[in-house]
């Protein structure tokens, strides 16, 4: 592992050690009984589990009430921070610090707990280094690894409250901290001797204080793990790299009064190694034994009980279980406690499972560390052979429906011919998870190449400058999980999306091969980019604005007052050399991975202006989550544009908050008209005609535009059985459009059950799904041919302005870089661009008539808000029984039949994810209990 210097946390060694005084709070230890375990810290342990050091403040002393049984309320973020600090000062088994800061600036505290001799200066750092060394068998012999497994403690993480309103895991983590920091029993001594336990009580203090799931930007932090868009996530990943876990607990809450811990529901991603899956399932047995309360749910036992094998999968690479499992080789686990239980029961049950997990890890420390080394050994061997892990299922009643194909993957290549800034961002994303990436010094011929997008090539020449990712390295599992063209879902149950291929999200050219290659290449050690050639003072600098990274550079330069121009034919941006020093430009451009060239000629092109953006927060828009938050984050944090809020009333009343904006962005939401009355719709249309740019995203964004008479697109009815579960599609790009400047002729678009738009007759169809054999998708789709010939992006001219309409959400989770680039183009498009002035008359009538007709077309019912409806697929013969079970929960279900299957669609107008939904988990349980075979479940 390369050396790193951490700057995000306090030094763990400048702490105050408190003297330990024995307190017997319950049982009295018989004098004749010898200790069962000796703490190497020159102290005798005792058999009494209730004995604690008086120097360590108990929760009862500190808060005025206990944690768990007897607890009357949950803690505040400030109380959590103060207690972590107090225990850190009082116990010589603990070091504390700050893992990260939230969007609002709040600290995310952590505590590291172990035996006191592990915590002396230098020793904790040595332990972490030893555990990291197990992750690279190329530089650590097996005999040395075996000695480390004997001598070194394993690392266990307990993290809570990634969803802000799910608070009990954090409180329980403090109870766990107290027991490990102050407990004097031999059981505690064994745990501390065999483990280093890292406790992060709250991963989302902003959400905790607001009592909402998301952070201050409205992001679900339990979907942000691979992209690391939010500061809370970035600091966590950095610390995980320093202290890689063998066990990781992510404590959540759900609806009801039950408790979930693994074994998980299917699907499980195929690249999660067998060791973590085995540990997870065995920890589940330990949790069952230590759970208490009413034990397992079943029969008459329906509350304060536990269940497994339901709802919570391990597939999408953005969760707090899948990323620790795949990227770090840990037993990554989601624990979920029903939020309807009393506070004391929620916290106590979370503690019971945390304590049982830590106990199991301590008991099996030697086996865990042996297995941990083998994970990375096997990964290197598989990578050298080009072997992918097979698909498997864990639920006893399931079978693999979609096996991993018999293909070899020994290398990936990221091509440098376009979107180079985003290519380099992907390189850095990989390197930030300890993936080794190389830059080709010479071209290499690939005999058998798989080109992303479902195509193949023979004897493909990959140019010098391309980035090579060999699979024969420890992070083989993570590489395949993040980069692969398809995740190969084994079983059709969908909690989240079915594709997150990073090259497809970025729209960068990518090739995989099973050929054994040894190209001449250099290891990448820093971000490439910057000023590659100087310009004279009267000359200019240029760069192609062909990526999200280059777009961000553009907005940052504009925000600094640098005059920019853009060639509307090529998309190249130029700036006067005298407007910025070479050093400043080099540093800024390199931070985005963008190559800037100097020229003797002056800057040229159409001047760019910083857009004055209004962000619509009217009827149907959630301002605390989803599309609105993603837009606010990209506009504010990425681009520095400080968007102004525009409300329904602002447009209806034509207030300056609306009329003074040059751009209005309408996020996804649940309303077809945004609450605009007839005058408001007329005001919006007139504002666009006067030169404004309307940008509409997905359902609400496109429907408001249609209602206002800004587009001739209409929505196509989705056929029965149509399913697109967060998948990628090839699209054809109208490269003559200013909105598509810098994009290739073929690109990829992320579709998550989005509306299907018929082509515009009055504007430019910028992104179109192919209608021929070029049509391609990955992930899980059914009847996706309905998309052929339809459009994903339209630019509608109106007077001097434009309505730019995305059928999808291009800012989804802020990791859809090709979509982000397109939005940037839309915002920077000059009013009345020559390319966009078209169709004052069209076959069948003028533009206004066609748009008026589209405005009158019936809109589909809003079944899913910003997400998806619930869809249950069963055999036609089982439809009546399924409907009967569904009716015990809701009377909103709609049934349709096609091709021998019945599809029961349950509206989800609030756009709730499966783990947020009030009854989906129980509904699926009851359907299984009724013996109804489910062909697929989409939530």
């Amino acid at each position: 592992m390369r050396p790193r210097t951490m700057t995000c946390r306090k030094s763990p060694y400048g702490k105050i050690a408190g003297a330990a005084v024995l307190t017997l709070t319950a049982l009295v230890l018989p004098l004749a009984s010898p200790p069962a375990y000796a703490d190497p810290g020159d102290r005798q342990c005792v058999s009494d589990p209730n004995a604690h050091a008086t120097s360590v403040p108990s929760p009862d002393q500190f808060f005025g009430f206990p944690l768990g049984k007897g607890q009357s309320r949950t803690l505040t973020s400030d109380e959590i921070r103060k207690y972590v600090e107090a225990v850190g000062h009082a116990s010589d088994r603990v070091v504390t610090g700050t893992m990260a800061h939230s969007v609002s600036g709040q600290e995310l505290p952590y505590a590291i707990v172990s035996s006191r001799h592990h915590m002396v200066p230098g020793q904790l750092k040595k332990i972490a280094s030893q555990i990291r060394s197990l992750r690279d068998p190329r530089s650590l012999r097996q005999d040395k690894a075996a000695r480390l497994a004997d001598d070194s403690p394993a690392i266990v993480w307990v993290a809570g409250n990634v969803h802000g309103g799910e608070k009990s895991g954090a409180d329980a983590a403090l109870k766990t901290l107290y027991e490990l920091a102050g407990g004097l029993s031999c059981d505690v001594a064994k745990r501390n001797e065999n483990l280093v336990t890292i406790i992060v009580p709250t991963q989302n203090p902003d959400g905790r204080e607001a009592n909402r799931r998301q952070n201050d930007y409205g992001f679900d932090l339990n979907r942000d793990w691979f992209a690391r868009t939010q500061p809370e996530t970035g600091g966590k990943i950095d610390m995980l790299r320093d202290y890689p876990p063998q066990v990781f607990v992510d404590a959540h809450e759900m609806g009801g009064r039950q408790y979930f811990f693994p074994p998980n529901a299917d699907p499980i991603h195929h690249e999660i190694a067998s060791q973590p899956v085995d540990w997870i399932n065995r920890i589940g047995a330990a949790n069952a034994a230590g759970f208490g309360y009413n034990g397992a749910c079943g029969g008459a036992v329906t509350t304060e009980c536990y269940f497994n094998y339901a709802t919570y999968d391990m597939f999408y690479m953005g969760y707090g279980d899948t990323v620790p499992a795949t990227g770090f080789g840990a037993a990554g686990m989601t624990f979920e406690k029903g939020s309807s239980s009393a506070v004391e029961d929620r916290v106590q049950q979370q503690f019971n499972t945390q304590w049982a997990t830590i106990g199991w890890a301590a008991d099996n420390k030697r086996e865990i560390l042996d297995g941990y080394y083998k994970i990375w050994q096997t990964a290197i061997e598989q990578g050298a052979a080009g072997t992918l892990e097979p698909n498997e299922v864990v639920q006893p009643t399931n079978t693999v429906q979609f096996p991993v194909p018999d293909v070899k993957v020994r290398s990936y290549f990221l091509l440098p011919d376009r979107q180079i800034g985003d290519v380099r961002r992907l390189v850095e994303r990989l390197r930030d998870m300890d993936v080794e990436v190389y830059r080709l010094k010479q071209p290499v011929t690939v005999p058998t190449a798989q080109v992303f997008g479902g195509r193949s090539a023979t004897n493909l020449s990959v140019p010098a400058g391309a980035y090579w990712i060999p699979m024969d390295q420890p992070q083989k599992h993570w590489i395949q999980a993040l980069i692969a063209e398809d995740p190969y879902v084994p079983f059709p149950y969908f909690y989240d999306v079915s594709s997150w291929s990073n090259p497809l999200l970025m729209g960068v050219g990518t090739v995989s091969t099973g050929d054994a290659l040894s190209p001449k290449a250099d290891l990448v050690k820093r971000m490439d980019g910057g000023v590659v050639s100087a310009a004279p003072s009267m000359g200019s600098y240029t760069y192609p604005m062909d990526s999200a990274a280059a777009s961000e550079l553009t907005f940052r330069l504009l925000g600094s007052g640098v005059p920019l121009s853009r060639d509307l034919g090529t998309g190249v941006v130029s700036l006067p050399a005298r407007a910025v020093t070479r050093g400043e430009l080099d540093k800024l451009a390199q931070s985005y991975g963008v190559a800037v060239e100097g020229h003797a000629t002056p800057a040229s092109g159409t001047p760019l202006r910083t857009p004055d953006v209004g962000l619509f927060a009217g009827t149907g828009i959630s301002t605390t989550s989803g599309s609105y938050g993603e837009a606010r984050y990209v506009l504010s944090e990425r681009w520095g544009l400080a968007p102004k809020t525009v409300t329904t009333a602002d447009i209806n009343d034509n207030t300056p908050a609306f009329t003074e904006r040059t751009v209005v962005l309408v996020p996804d939401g649940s309303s077809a008209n945004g609450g605009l009355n007839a005058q408001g719709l007329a005001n919006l249309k007139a504002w666009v005609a006067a030169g404004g740019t309307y940008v509409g995203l997905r359902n609400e964004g496109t429907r408001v535009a249609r209602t206002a008479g800004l587009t001739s697109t209409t929505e196509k009815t989705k056929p029965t059985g149509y399913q697109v579960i967060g998948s990628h599609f090839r699209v054809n790009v109208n490269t003559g459009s200013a909105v598509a400047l810098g994009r290739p002729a073929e690109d990829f678009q992320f579709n998550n059950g989005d509306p299907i738009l018929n082509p515009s007759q009055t504007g430019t169809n910028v992104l179109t799904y192919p209608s021929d054999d070029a049509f391609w998708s990955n992930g899980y789709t059914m009847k996706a041919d309905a998309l052929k010939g339809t459009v994903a992006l339209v630019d509608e001219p109106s007077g001097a302005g434009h309505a730019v309409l995305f059928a999808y959400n291009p800012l989804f989770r802020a990791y859809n870089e090709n979509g982000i680039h397109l939005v940037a183009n839309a915002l920077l498009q000059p009013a009345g661009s020559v390319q966009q002035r078209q169709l004052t008359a069209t076959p069948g009538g003028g533009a206004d008539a066609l748009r008026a007709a589209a405005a009158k077309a019936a809109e589909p019912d809003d079944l899913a808000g910003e997400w998806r409806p619930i869809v249950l697929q069963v055999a036609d013969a089982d439809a009546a029984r399924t409907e009967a079970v569904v009716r015990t929960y809701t009377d909103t279900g709609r049934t349709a039949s096609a091709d021998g299957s019945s599809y029961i669609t349950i509206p989800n107008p609030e756009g709730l994810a499966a783990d947020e939904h009030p009854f989906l988990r129980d509904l699926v349980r009851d359907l299984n209990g009724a013996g109804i075979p489910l062909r697929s479940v989409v939530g």
Side-chain angles (χ1 to χ4, degrees):
M1 292 294 156
R2 66 185 188 282
R4 294 185 299 277
T5 301
M6 295 296 298
T7 59
C8 64
R9 303 187 300 279
K10 300 175 184 176
S11 168
Y13 306 115
K15 60 182 288 296
I16 300 171
V21 179
L22 179 64
T23 302
L24 299 181
T25 57
L27 302 176
V28 176
L29 181 66
L31 295 177
S33 299
Y37 194 89
D39 187 321
D42 299 325
R43 293 178 186 156
Q44 294 267 311
C45 65
V46 299
S47 60
D48 182 5
N50 297 304
H52 292 83
T54 58
S55 58
V56 179
S58 71
D60 210 342
Q61 293 169 330
F62 195 85
F63 303 116
F65 52 82
L67 297 178
K69 277 300 182 183
Q71 184 174 352
S72 57
R73 64 168 177 85
T74 55
L75 304 176
T76 67
S77 296
D78 189 54
E79 287 174 322
I80 289 171
R81 283 190 290 272
K82 288 178 178 177
Y83 187 69
V84 169
E85 183 178 1
V87 172
H89 279 290
S91 175
D92 53 9
R93 303 174 191 170
V94 179
V95 296
T96 61
T98 299
M99 181 177 75
H101 289 84
S102 70
V103 171
S104 74
Q106 290 197 69
E107 294 178 349
L108 277 66
Y110 70 81
I112 304 177
V113 196
S114 193
S115 292
R116 63 189 290 246
H117 73 105
H118 292 155
M119 311 306 282
V120 296
Q123 188 60 26
L124 182 60
K125 184 177 180 180
K126 178 181 178 182
I127 291 168
S129 176
Q130 290 172 334
I131 296 299
R132 290 197 301 271
S133 72
L134 291 173
R135 300 180 70 199
D136 194 352
R138 298 169 301 182
S139 56
L140 182 70
R141 296 195 318 268
Q142 191 154 347
D143 60 335
K144 179 71 178 296
R147 287 197 297 273
L148 287 181
D150 276 334
D151 300 338
S152 178
I155 298 177
V156 173
W157 278 61
V158 176
N161 204 197
V162 71
H163 292 147
E166 301 171 10
K167 300 181 179 181
S168 59
D171 295 21
L174 295 187
K175 183 174 174 68
T176 296
L177 170 61
Y178 171 64
E179 294 296 332
L180 292 175
L184 297 176
S185 71
C186 295
D187 174 60
V188 168
K190 179 181 179 181
R191 292 167 191 251
N192 284 334
E193 179 60 21
N194 285 348
L195 303 175
V196 169
T197 303
I198 297 176
I199 295 173
V200 181
T202 177
Q203 302 169 73
N204 184 5
D206 292 348
R208 185 181 184 92
E209 291 303 296
N211 199 33
R212 66 165 179 260
R213 179 183 179 94
Q214 297 83 5
N215 75 345
D216 257 17
Y217 269 127
F219 276 64
D220 185 334
L221 296 177
N222 202 38
R223 304 295 186 272
D224 188 50
W225 279 73
F226 78 72
R228 298 178 61 172
T229 68
Q230 302 302 292
E232 298 93 337
T233 312
K236 178 168 55 184
I237 296 293
D238 286 341
M239 190 168 175
L240 279 162
R241 290 174 68 197
D242 273 3
Y243 297 93
Q246 288 71 68
V247 175
F248 188 98
V249 172
D250 195 24
H252 291 252
E253 289 184 9
M254 60 183 179
R257 295 179 61 193
Q258 298 181 355
Y259 197 105
F260 167 84
F261 50 77
N264 293 89
D266 291 316
I268 290 181
H269 195 281
H270 66 97
E271 284 295 333
I272 295 176
S274 59
Q275 289 89 345
V277 175
D278 175 59
W279 301 337
I280 287 167
N281 293 341
R282 290 163 62 192
I283 290 169
N287 283 339
F291 183 77
Y293 283 81
N294 293 330
C297 302
V301 179
T302 60
T303 63
E304 311 310 336
C305 54
Y306 69 83
F307 66 92
N308 325 110
Y309 293 122
T311 306
Y312 303 101
D313 64 33
M314 286 186 69
F315 189 63
Y316 167 64
M317 284 297 137
Y319 297 149
D321 50 13
T322 53
V323 175
T326 316
F328 294 95
M333 296 172 293
T334 293
F335 292 173
E336 297 266 358
K337 170 56 194 163
S339 58
S340 297
S341 297
V343 170
E344 62 176 355
D345 294 324
R346 300 201 320 259
V347 175
Q348 187 64 47
Q349 289 172 30
Q350 295 272 24
F351 170 76
N352 289 352
T353 53
Q354 292 176 16
W355 198 245
T357 297
I358 293 169
W360 183 90
D363 289 342
N364 295 277
K365 182 271 295 188
R366 177 67 165 79
E367 177 192 347
I368 291 171
L369 292 181
D370 275 338
Y372 195 66
Y373 180 75
K374 290 184 176 68
I375 291 170
W376 314 109
Q377 268 189 325
T378 303
I380 294 169
E381 292 166 0
Q382 289 179 346
T387 304
L388 304 183
E389 292 271 13
N391 265 338
E392 297 177 349
V393 292
V394 295
Q395 289 178 256
T397 58
N398 290 342
T399 58
V400 172
Q401 295 192 23
F402 310 106
V404 174
D406 184 17
V407 296
K408 300 288 186 186
V409 180
R410 286 189 170 94
S411 296
Y412 286 98
F413 293 94
L414 305 177
L415 304 182
D417 55 329
R418 57 183 174 83
Q419 282 74 54
I420 190 62
D422 289 343
V423 171
R424 288 169 176 161
R425 273 191 164 167
L426 179 50
V427 168
E428 291 306 296
R429 183 176 291 172
L430 291 165
R431 292 180 62 241
D432 284 344
M433 282 291 286
D434 302 305
V435 174
E436 295 160 5
V437 182
Y438 298 80
R439 187 190 315 99
L440 294 189
K441 297 165 65 176
Q442 298 177 4
V444 62
T445 299
V446 180
T448 307
Q450 299 300 316
V451 181
F452 272 35
R455 292 171 174 155
S456 59
T458 57
N459 296 321
L460 178 71
S461 180
V462 176
Y467 292 93
W468 172 45
I469 307 160
M471 294 287 272
D472 58 342
Q473 58 175 297
Q475 281 291 56
K476 174 260 181 180
H477 297 308
W478 182 249
I479 295 167
Q480 181 65 18
L482 199 68
I483 291 183
E485 184 180 51
D486 199 295
Y488 304 125
V489 61
F491 186 81
Y493 168 84
F494 295 101
Y495 187 142
D496 202 77
V497 300
S498 69
S499 174
W500 53 89
S501 171
N502 276 219
L504 297 179
L505 284 168
M506 293 183 166
V508 301
T510 306
V511 170
S512 69
T513 183
D515 298 325
L517 302 171
S518 298
K520 294 185 181 298
D522 291 325
L523 181 67
V524 176
K525 296 182 179 180
R526 70 180 185 94
M527 178 81 122
D528 291 329
V531 175
V532 297
S533 58
S537 61
M538 299 305 293
S540 63
Y541 288 107
T542 67
Y543 60 90
M545 194 183 122
D546 64 349
S547 62
S551 303
E552 195 167 333
L553 172 62
T554 300
F555 283 118
R556 291 300 176 182
L557 288 170
L558 286 172
S560 298
V562 176
L564 301 180
S565 300
R566 193 179 191 193
D567 186 318
L568 297 184
T570 65
V572 170
V573 172
S574 63
L575 61 144
R578 62 181 179 275
V580 62
T581 69
R582 178 179 176 177
E584 292 172 333
L585 182 59
D586 180 66
K587 182 178 180 180
L588 188 62
Q590 185 186 357
S591 71
Y592 295 116
V594 176
V596 178
E597 296 182 348
H599 304 273
T601 54
S604 62
T606 302
L608 295 179
R609 300 284 183 262
T610 301
D612 186 342
V613 182
L615 183 57
F616 185 64
T619 302
I621 304 294
S622 169
T623 60
T624 59
S625 64
S627 181
Y628 180 92
E630 292 153 358
R632 187 167 71 90
Y633 165 75
V634 171
L635 293 168
S636 303
E637 193 70 24
R638 292 273 187 92
W639 295 344
L641 294 180
K644 288 83 172 178
T645 299
V646 175
T647 67
T648 297
D650 288 327
I651 299 178
N652 284 339
D653 298 338
N654 236 20
T655 70
F658 162 56
T659 59
E660 292 179 359
R661 309 285 78 80
T662 62
V663 175
V664 169
L665 190 151
V666 179
D668 191 16
S670 59
S671 174
N673 60 19
L676 301 182
N677 57 28
Q679 184 61 56
L681 294 169
N683 291 342
L684 180 60
K685 187 175 181 180
W687 173 84
V688 172
T693 297
Y694 174 101
V695 178
L697 311 187
R698 204 168 180 259
N699 290 315
E700 181 155 348
T702 58
R703 291 169 183 170
V704 169
R706 187 176 300 111
T707 305
L710 292 172
T711 180
S712 59
T713 62
T714 54
E715 289 194 33
K716 179 179 176 179
T717 301
K718 297 173 182 175
T720 299
Y722 175 88
Q723 293 288 356
V724 174
I725 311 300
S727 304
H728 280 97
F729 289 79
R730 178 182 287 115
V731 287
N732 293 327
V733 181
N734 185 332
T735 55
S737 165
V739 178
L741 272 178
R743 300 311 303 176
E746 288 186 342
D747 211 342
F748 299 101
Q749 178 261 328
F750 181 80
N751 187 314
N752 191 28
D754 305 323
I756 305 176
L757 296 188
N758 292 309
S760 171
Q761 301 175 70
T762 56
T764 301
N765 296 305
V766 182
L767 300 183
T768 305
Y769 296 98
S771 56
D772 55 18
D773 291 343
F775 186 81
W776 174 89
S777 66
N778 73 349
Y780 183 81
T781 65
M782 297 293 291
K783 299 192 176 182
D785 281 359
L787 289 167
K788 287 185 173 181
T790 65
V791 294
L793 173 58
V794 171
D795 185 6
E796 295 271 9
S798 182
H802 304 264
V804 182
L805 309 179
F806 292 82
Y808 62 107
N809 179 3
L811 307 180
F812 183 69
R813 294 177 179 166
Y815 62 39
N816 190 6
E817 278 81 0
N818 57 5
I820 292 172
H821 175 215
L822 290 165
V823 175
N825 279 342
L827 267 60
L828 291 171
Q829 176 180 201
S833 298
V834 173
Q835 300 100 312
Q836 304 302 323
R837 291 194 192 121
Q838 7 180 347
L839 297 181
T840 55
T842 59
D848 286 345
L850 290 168
R851 289 168 177 166
K856 294 177 182 178
E859 296 285 1
D861 292 338
D862 177 42
L863 298 179
E866 297 182 38
W867 193 237
R868 301 185 298 248
I870 296 164
V871 181
L872 308 172
Q873 180 188 2
V874 298
D876 282 340
D878 294 318
R881 288 197 299 151
T882 304
E883 289 169 334
V885 176
V886 169
R887 280 195 296 271
T888 64
Y889 289 92
T890 179
D891 59 1
T892 63
R894 308 176 182 188
T895 302
S897 178
D899 305 320
S901 286
S902 288
Y903 298 85
I904 295 87
T905 299
I906 301 170
N908 181 25
E910 295 181 23
L912 299 177
D915 56 332
E916 296 179 274
H917 198 274
F919 63 76
L920 176 58
R921 181 188 70 253
D922 294 336
L923 171 60
V924 171
R925 178 201 63 206
D926 289 352
L927 291 168
N928 288 329
I932 300 172
L934 297 172
R935 293 182 172 178
S936 69
V937 178
V938 175

